[in-house]
Amino acid sequence: MHTQHTILTIAGSDSGGGAGIQADLRTFAALGNYGTSAITALTAQNTQGVQAVHGVPPAFVQQQIQSVLDDFDVHAIKTGMLFNADNTRATVEALKTHFSGRTMPPLVCDPVCVSTSGHSLLAPEAIQVLIHELLPLTTLITPNKSEAELLLSRSITSLEDMLEATKDLIRLGPKAVLLKGGHITAKLSDLGRLLSAHPEARVVRDGMYGDKMEILAVNGPQFEYLVVDVLREADDSVTVLARPRIDSSSTHGTGCTLSAALASALADGNTLSEAVMKATAFTHLGIATAYTNLGSGQGPLNHLHSVAQLSVPPRTPGNPYPFTKLLITGSAAIWKEYVEHEFVQLLGKGTLPRASFVQFIVQDYHYLKYYARAYSLLAAKSPSFSRIGSATQTIGHILREIETHRAFCGEFGVSTDELESTPESAATTAYGCYLMDIGIQGDATKLLMALLACLLGYGEVGLWLKASASWVILEGNPYRRWIEDYSGAEHQAAVRAGLETIEEAAASNPPSPGLLAEWRAVWDRCTKLETAFWDSALHLKN
Amino acid sequence: MHTQHTILTIAGSDSGGGAGIQADLRTFAALGNYGTSAITALTAQNTQGVQAVHGVPPAFVQQQIQSVLDDFDVHAIKTGMLFNADNTRATVEALKTHFSGRTMPPLVCDPVCVSTSGHSLLAPEAIQVLIHELLPLTTLITPNKSEAELLLSRSITSLEDMLEATKDLIRLGPKAVLLKGGHITAKLSDLGRLLSAHPEARVVRDGMYGDKMEILAVNGPQFEYLVVDVLREADDSVTVLARPRIDSSSTHGTGCTLSAALASALADGNTLSEAVMKATAFTHLGIATAYTNLGSGQGPLNHLHSVAQLSVPPRTPGNPYPFTKLLITGSAAIWKEYVEHEFVQLLGKGTLPRASFVQFIVQDYHYLKYYARAYSLLAAKSPSFSRIGSATQTIGHILREIETHRAFCGEFGVSTDELESTPESAATTAYGCYLMDIGIQGDATKLLMALLACLLGYGEVGLWLKASASWVILEGNPYRRWIEDYSGAEHQAAVRAGLETIEEAAASNPPSPGLLAEWRAVWDRCTKLETAFWDSALHLKN
């Protein structure tokens, strides 16, 4: 399981939600981390552009950072749009004050100067403050082409220029630099040229197959252009990351997303190069899977491609059986038809016709043979000795249960020979063979879904009859022993164990909506087969 | 699939991330929706309290709202902390201007007055503006006890008071009111008394069993106290929602989270009462599953209990086989051992000893019997005619493949009788029986994992040998036909179909990390069994 880490972003706010702290916080959440924020400036912004900016006073920027750092254990920090020289200084001051004499967590500096839509987001005089005061504290700086050009006062137009620029950028003070190549046109041949001139560079190709993955290769003109990013680390090692360029207008907030994903990966304890690989892949997928109906301009990335809605709520003390509850409430009407069946009600009143009870008990005897075989199949499908043990323990219970059935039958004048020779009813065959078919079709969990409608339903019936004292007659009821068996300790313990097994199965391998639908279908089918079983006995159908 | 909707929150910013727009945006994301925001005030805040507040100028509040509404198709709006009278007016102004002559989406007003930590968040003069100008636009207002008391200028201490208060709150102008009972102590008996005096009220019990769910009931002193919320709608219908009270200090941002979840559910098209049920359940679970290591005061809720990290990236044009790529790169070393095996290299060069090739082809013949049986089992486990069809089509391919094997054997001096009577090697039995065991243990997808290492690996070997012209000798190579068979159109088409099936299986039922680990284990085992199979032939082991 992923451990949640806390991250602080110091950046601007984007009302449109695609960039700024909004993109950062969404990225942290998508990656399973907790985000805090200090806002340097508000923008009234949408996918078409920036309509207005409201700078936050430097003292308030500093106060926000302090409030977060004083209370939270922060595992990584990122800076985005710092707006002006004063807010850049306020940021540096807040960090230096808090971390004086303490180790500062990794700091990712995204030197945001201009928005995707072309709006200037950093006052020119702030650049020198950023270089002289913030970069020396920085673990990783993540400029794009124009930001690197501004920082170095020279133009960068080729992959070779990029590699050279990372050398000079690292001299400005950060421990490492990731120069982003999104705005530089490169082809596979350009990459080849760069790598043959720089054999020392490590290369990471993402979405570009090779190395014994020929069968997965994709080709086509759309894969001709690449995005190449260059990472240079403190030891001067260079990693070149290449992936196919995506032709997309959903790129609003790409830089924010990347630097947030970097901070998140560093908070999780990844090395710089691992963090860069994960964060660039995350960002690339954010563009590739973006919703295109958000705003009419440069739309935001999809930050949530890495998560899915859960189909089953978590187990909590107040709701320890959320999965079973979902199954039962999901088809409450058919569950009620089953557990409140007329057969059950007549049985509770002691007025069920004797012939119906005999038919039930005889058919149940046949059904239990299927049921024992299905549990044997469950044992054969079980991955551990404990699961094999609990399945065979249930078979043991069933073998004892049939003794009770034989005794019952004796009381009701049916000999064991007669019991054995009575043919199965259609309801018994349908239910029994359905269990076996599910056992062949699916895995152990799916078979459990089929087996539990019987276990849990009889447990519910037992408790209901026991609790409904006003109309249920126990004294002199010819079926009293049946009621006491299913409300008794042994069956209720089996119910408890069954609930634990099914909840554990659903919690340890949370089902996707599709799988949940499959499981529900099995549960519902068995619930109906139970009703049919009682119908059959009540109406003496064969 | 859930359709993403856009929501606008107009509220304060909480640097600590647990409340304000940060909680709202995280809630929207957790519920699969897209959030935009207009910030009315910044707070420098953490779990211990509010250290400072910076109000945003009213014109800038208005501009942010306008920027969002001008560009996005907003499906619901919520207001939280509006800070003061001017910003409340600016909010009303912006909404009225934009929606003049247009239908406004549902508006949830959370009348935030005081923070969980006790800090005042709304200037007193703003309350009248809220009542007279904002409430008439409001779909649902969500006050807690003290906010309702402030709005009505009277005290509320019992469930009866709450029910009465909702009548007067709705007279203030909103279409509906949800009065939250988190700060009112109630027991099951209080709820009973309320409901017998108000039989017209609909009651929703969450996490409180009953109604044919006796087997799921939980009891204990911790379930003695309830939280009761009351919803009154425009038609005067009343819904009383009750759930067990959670004793927790992770309640920072509860109100923000609830109103955000309400806006999200309304954006999705739920009715008011559905939205209230979903949003209160979401918020309750946020408290129940909160991380308790965030800050030293009243910690934030967990907003992400409803999502899980995906184990497999989405399919994109640049990465159409993400799941297979994950399998192959996840155990790249053993995959490479398999597809670049010495046996394969000698075969490519034409220098593989004849005896090794004969042993291989004879054992492969035996293996293919298992393989055909395993595909038959796959057909038996298949849920649709098309999947049954594709499994049996593969069996057809195998039956043709054994003809090739017989012909090969003839060329190499092995008669069909000899072929049939040669015993299986240990490597063949191990691999063949492993396929059958996985087939018995698991479902169709797990069996596919076992079957594909062979299909895909031979496809990779074929392509690799075909492509590596410099050292592979085709002319005069005694094994040329083998190379051409596996690099040829028929086998490559089967590879393509296999890839589609496996990717479709993983995408339609995304595996949890636990299930992915099971699948990986099967894939890795088969990859190693393939290597052992070639080892066995190369070294003539039986």
Side-chain angles (χ1 to χ4, degrees):
Chain A
M1 279 300 289
H2 176 258
T3 303
Q4 179 179 272
H5 293 108
T6 300
I7 304 164
L8 167 62
T9 170
I10 304 166
S13 158
D14 171 2
S15 55
I21 62 142
Q22 286 82 356
D24 296 342
L25 295 174
R26 206 183 283 112
T27 299
F28 302 152
L31 294 169
N33 283 326
Y34 184 76
T36 60
S37 52
I39 297 177
T40 57
L42 303 179
T43 66
Q45 186 176 171
N46 54 33
T47 68
Q48 298 169 49
V50 177
Q51 286 81 41
V53 181
H54 168 75
V56 173
F60 198 82
V61 171
Q62 201 167 336
Q63 177 64 63
Q64 292 174 87
I65 298 173
Q66 195 183 319
S67 289
V68 171
L69 294 177
D70 281 352
D71 192 37
F72 291 91
D73 186 13
V74 169
H75 294 85
I77 301 171
K78 78 150 261 191
T79 63
M81 170 196 187
L82 293 174
F83 183 56
N84 62 18
D86 284 349
N87 284 356
T88 307
R89 265 190 219 103
T91 299
V92 170
E93 192 56 34
L95 296 178
K96 279 191 169 163
T97 305
H98 184 82
F99 292 108
S100 153
R102 281 189 263 195
T103 308
M104 195 166 98
L107 171 69
V108 177
C109 170
D110 182 13
V112 177
C113 301
V114 179
S115 74
T116 304
S117 58
H119 197 283
S120 170
L121 298 175
L122 189 69
E125 71 276 14
I127 292 168
Q128 291 309 311
V129 183
L130 188 137
I131 292 176
H132 295 294
E133 302 190 29
L134 187 59
L135 289 195
L137 304 179
T138 295
T139 309
L140 177 67
I141 185 173
T142 62
N144 61 21
K145 174 183 189 288
S146 50
E147 289 154 356
E149 288 175 336
L150 209 59
L151 289 166
L152 296 178
S153 309
R154 70 166 189 255
S155 97
I156 298 169
T157 57
S158 67
L159 299 187
E160 283 77 6
D161 286 354
M162 284 180 70
L163 207 71
E164 202 54 32
T166 57
K167 274 191 200 165
D168 296 319
L169 286 164
I170 218 166
R171 285 196 193 110
L172 295 178
K175 290 198 190 63
V177 54
L178 176 67
L179 179 49
K180 300 175 292 189
H183 298 126
I184 288 170
T185 304
K187 289 185 166 190
L188 205 51
S189 55
D190 299 316
L191 179 64
R193 201 182 56 239
L194 181 81
L195 294 175
S196 47
H198 295 277
E200 76 285 4
R202 179 176 167 219
V203 62
V204 175
R205 290 180 183 84
D206 187 25
M208 299 166 64
Y209 297 92
D211 204 27
K212 308 301 142 231
M213 292 203 281
E214 294 297 327
I215 47 166
L216 304 187
V218 280
N219 294 301
Q222 73 271 39
F223 302 110
E224 194 183 347
Y225 290 97
L226 308 179
V227 171
V228 177
D229 302 320
V230 179
L231 169 70
R232 185 180 292 270
E233 299 186 61
D235 62 1
D236 222 37
S237 66
V238 169
T239 307
V240 175
L241 298 103
R243 46 173 60 82
R245 176 177 295 272
I246 305 169
D247 189 19
S248 169
S249 66
S250 298
T251 55
H252 179 90
T254 302
C256 302
T257 302
L258 176 65
S259 51
L262 281 165
S264 183
L266 292 173
D268 290 344
N270 290 284
T271 65
L272 260 179
S273 63
E274 285 167 354
V276 167
M277 275 185 263
K278 289 182 182 179
T280 50
F282 178 86
T283 308
H284 179 85
L285 273 175
I287 300 171
T289 64
Y291 292 83
T292 52
N293 61 347
L294 292 168
S296 59
Q298 299 264 329
L301 283 64
N302 171 24
H303 296 100
L304 300 171
H305 59 78
S306 63
V307 297
Q309 301 282 314
L310 280 169
S311 305
V312 181
R315 296 183 80 176
T316 60
N319 189 14
Y321 311 118
F323 174 64
T324 314
K325 190 180 166 192
L326 211 63
L327 290 180
I328 295 179
T329 55
S331 51
I334 63 172
W335 174 255
K336 214 170 154 162
E337 260 180 70
Y338 161 31
V339 298
E340 287 190 60
H341 197 278
E342 189 187 353
F343 182 98
V344 173
Q345 300 191 27
L346 295 177
L347 190 147
K349 291 174 187 154
T351 59
L352 179 70
R354 195 180 169 90
S356 289
F357 188 76
V358 170
Q359 163 139 350
F360 165 70
I361 213 79
V362 168
Q363 290 302 325
D364 201 34
Y365 181 83
H366 292 317
Y367 168 77
L368 285 172
K369 200 184 289 165
Y370 286 107
Y371 202 59
R373 286 171 59 214
Y375 265 100
S376 311
L377 196 48
L378 182 66
K381 286 170 169 286
S382 292
S384 66
F385 284 122
S386 75
R387 300 265 300 267
I388 296 169
S390 75
T392 48
Q393 203 175 358
T394 305
I395 301 172
H397 286 306
I398 297 167
L399 297 178
R400 281 193 296 283
E401 206 175 342
I402 56 151
E403 287 310 317
T404 312
H405 275 59
R406 285 195 182 119
F408 257 130
C409 285
E411 286 172 30
F412 285 83
V414 180
S415 71
T416 298
D417 277 359
E418 219 177 315
L419 182 58
E420 289 280 359
S421 63
T422 307
E424 281 179 25
S425 70
T428 304
T429 305
Y431 197 175
C433 293
Y434 182 71
L435 294 181
M436 298 312 287
D437 182 48
I438 291 299
I440 287 164
Q441 258 186 50
D443 63 2
T445 308
K446 192 166 183 177
L447 182 49
L448 263 178
M449 298 302 140
L451 293 167
L452 285 185
C454 174
L455 180 72
L456 302 187
Y458 278 49
E460 183 70 39
V461 165
L463 291 184
W464 182 52
L465 291 180
K466 265 301 237 199
S468 306
S470 63
W471 60 270
V472 172
I473 292 159
L474 286 179
E475 210 58 55
N477 188 326
Y479 315 119
R480 177 175 188 160
R481 181 157 158 217
W482 191 94
I483 298 171
E484 286 179 342
D485 273 0
Y486 289 105
S487 60
E490 184 173 356
H491 190 80
Q492 291 300 325
V495 165
R496 218 52 27 198
L499 284 171
E500 277 307 316
T501 308
I502 201 174
E503 292 294 336
E504 165 65 21
S508 67
N509 263 338
S512 64
L515 189 55
L516 179 63
E518 274 179 40
W519 291 352
R520 266 187 197 285
V522 173
W523 172 265
D524 289 0
R525 176 73 64 93
C526 288
T527 305
K528 287 181 189 164
L529 286 164
E530 285 287 352
T531 300
F533 196 83
W534 269 331
D535 276 346
S536 171
L538 188 62
H539 304 300
L540 303 175
K541 289 186 284 192
N542 293 308
Chain B
M1 278 300 289
H2 175 259
T3 302
Q4 180 179 271
H5 294 107
T6 299
I7 304 163
L8 166 63
T9 171
I10 305 166
S13 157
D14 171 1
S15 55
I21 62 141
Q22 286 83 356
D24 296 342
L25 296 174
R26 205 183 284 112
T27 299
F28 301 153
L31 294 169
N33 282 326
Y34 184 75
T36 60
S37 52
I39 296 178
T40 56
L42 303 179
T43 67
Q45 185 177 173
N46 54 34
T47 68
Q48 299 170 49
V50 178
Q51 286 80 42
V53 181
H54 168 76
V56 173
F60 197 82
V61 171
Q62 200 167 337
Q63 178 64 63
Q64 291 174 86
I65 298 172
Q66 196 183 317
S67 290
V68 170
L69 294 177
D70 281 352
D71 192 36
F72 292 91
D73 186 13
V74 169
H75 294 84
I77 301 171
K78 79 150 260 189
T79 63
M81 169 194 186
L82 294 174
F83 183 57
N84 62 17
D86 285 349
N87 283 357
T88 307
R89 265 189 219 102
T91 298
V92 170
E93 192 55 35
L95 295 177
K96 279 190 169 163
T97 306
H98 184 83
F99 292 108
S100 154
R102 282 189 263 197
T103 308
M104 196 166 98
L107 171 69
V108 178
C109 169
D110 182 14
V112 177
C113 301
V114 178
S115 73
T116 304
S117 58
H119 197 283
S120 169
L121 298 176
L122 189 68
E125 72 276 12
I127 292 168
Q128 292 309 311
V129 183
L130 188 137
I131 292 175
H132 295 294
E133 302 191 29
L134 188 59
L135 289 193
L137 304 179
T138 295
T139 309
L140 177 67
I141 184 173
T142 63
N144 60 22
K145 173 185 189 289
S146 50
E147 289 154 357
E149 288 175 336
L150 208 60
L151 290 167
L152 296 178
S153 309
R154 70 165 189 257
S155 98
I156 299 169
T157 59
S158 67
L159 299 186
E160 283 78 6
D161 287 354
M162 284 179 69
L163 207 71
E164 202 54 34
T166 56
K167 275 191 198 163
D168 297 318
L169 285 164
I170 218 167
R171 285 197 195 110
L172 295 178
K175 290 199 191 61
V177 54
L178 176 68
L179 179 51
K180 301 176 292 188
H183 298 126
I184 288 171
T185 305
K187 290 184 166 192
L188 205 51
S189 55
D190 298 317
L191 179 64
R193 202 181 56 239
L194 182 81
L195 294 175
S196 47
H198 295 276
E200 77 285 4
R202 176 177 169 220
V203 61
V204 175
R205 290 179 184 85
D206 187 24
M208 298 166 67
Y209 297 93
D211 205 27
K212 308 302 142 230
M213 292 203 279
E214 294 296 328
I215 47 166
L216 304 187
V218 279
N219 293 300
Q222 73 272 37
F223 301 110
E224 195 184 347
Y225 290 97
L226 308 179
V227 171
V228 177
D229 302 319
V230 179
L231 169 71
R232 185 181 293 271
E233 298 185 61
D235 62 1
D236 222 37
S237 67
V238 169
T239 306
V240 175
L241 298 104
R243 45 174 61 83
R245 176 177 295 274
I246 304 169
D247 188 20
S248 169
S249 65
S250 299
T251 55
H252 179 91
T254 302
C256 303
T257 302
L258 176 65
S259 51
L262 282 165
S264 183
L266 292 173
D268 291 343
N270 290 283
T271 65
L272 259 180
S273 63
E274 285 167 353
V276 167
M277 275 185 266
K278 288 182 183 180
T280 50
F282 177 85
T283 308
H284 179 84
L285 273 175
I287 299 171
T289 64
Y291 291 82
T292 53
N293 61 346
L294 291 169
S296 59
Q298 298 264 331
L301 282 64
N302 172 25
H303 297 99
L304 301 171
H305 59 77
S306 62
V307 297
Q309 300 283 315
L310 282 170
S311 304
V312 181
R315 296 183 80 175
T316 60
N319 189 14
Y321 311 118
F323 175 64
T324 314
K325 190 180 166 193
L326 209 63
L327 289 180
I328 295 179
T329 54
S331 51
I334 63 172
W335 173 256
K336 212 170 156 163
E337 262 179 70
Y338 161 30
V339 297
E340 285 190 59
H341 197 278
E342 191 187 350
F343 182 99
V344 173
Q345 300 192 28
L346 295 177
L347 190 146
K349 290 173 190 156
T351 58
L352 179 71
R354 192 181 171 91
S356 289
F357 188 77
V358 169
Q359 162 137 350
F360 165 71
I361 214 80
V362 168
Q363 291 301 325
D364 201 35
Y365 181 82
H366 293 317
Y367 168 78
L368 285 172
K369 200 184 289 164
Y370 286 107
Y371 202 60
R373 287 172 57 215
Y375 265 100
S376 310
L377 195 48
L378 182 67
K381 285 171 168 286
S382 293
S384 65
F385 286 122
S386 75
R387 298 265 301 266
I388 297 170
S390 75
T392 49
Q393 203 175 357
T394 305
I395 301 172
H397 285 306
I398 298 168
L399 297 177
R400 282 195 294 284
E401 206 175 340
I402 58 152
E403 287 309 320
T404 313
H405 276 57
R406 287 196 183 118
F408 257 129
C409 285
E411 285 174 30
F412 285 86
V414 181
S415 72
T416 298
D417 278 357
E418 217 177 316
L419 181 57
E420 291 279 359
S421 64
T422 305
E424 280 179 28
S425 70
T428 304
T429 305
Y431 197 176
C433 294
Y434 182 71
L435 295 182
M436 298 311 288
D437 182 48
I438 292 298
I440 288 165
Q441 258 185 51
D443 62 2
T445 308
K446 192 167 184 175
L447 181 50
L448 263 178
M449 298 303 139
L451 293 167
L452 285 185
C454 174
L455 179 73
L456 302 187
Y458 278 48
E460 183 69 38
V461 166
L463 290 185
W464 181 51
L465 292 180
K466 266 299 237 201
S468 307
S470 62
W471 60 271
V472 173
I473 291 157
L474 287 179
E475 209 59 55
N477 187 326
Y479 315 119
R480 177 176 188 160
R481 178 153 160 224
W482 192 95
I483 298 171
E484 286 178 342
D485 272 0
Y486 289 103
S487 60
E490 185 173 357
H491 190 81
Q492 291 299 327
V495 165
R496 215 60 19 201
L499 284 171
E500 276 307 317
T501 308
I502 200 174
E503 293 293 337
E504 165 65 19
S508 66
N509 263 336
S512 64
L515 190 55
L516 179 63
E518 274 179 40
W519 290 352
R520 267 186 196 285
V522 174
W523 172 265
D524 289 0
R525 177 72 64 94
C526 287
T527 305
K528 287 181 189 166
L529 286 163
E530 285 286 355
T531 300
F533 196 83
W534 268 331
D535 277 345
S536 173
L538 187 61
H539 305 300
L540 303 175
K541 287 186 287 193
N542 293 308

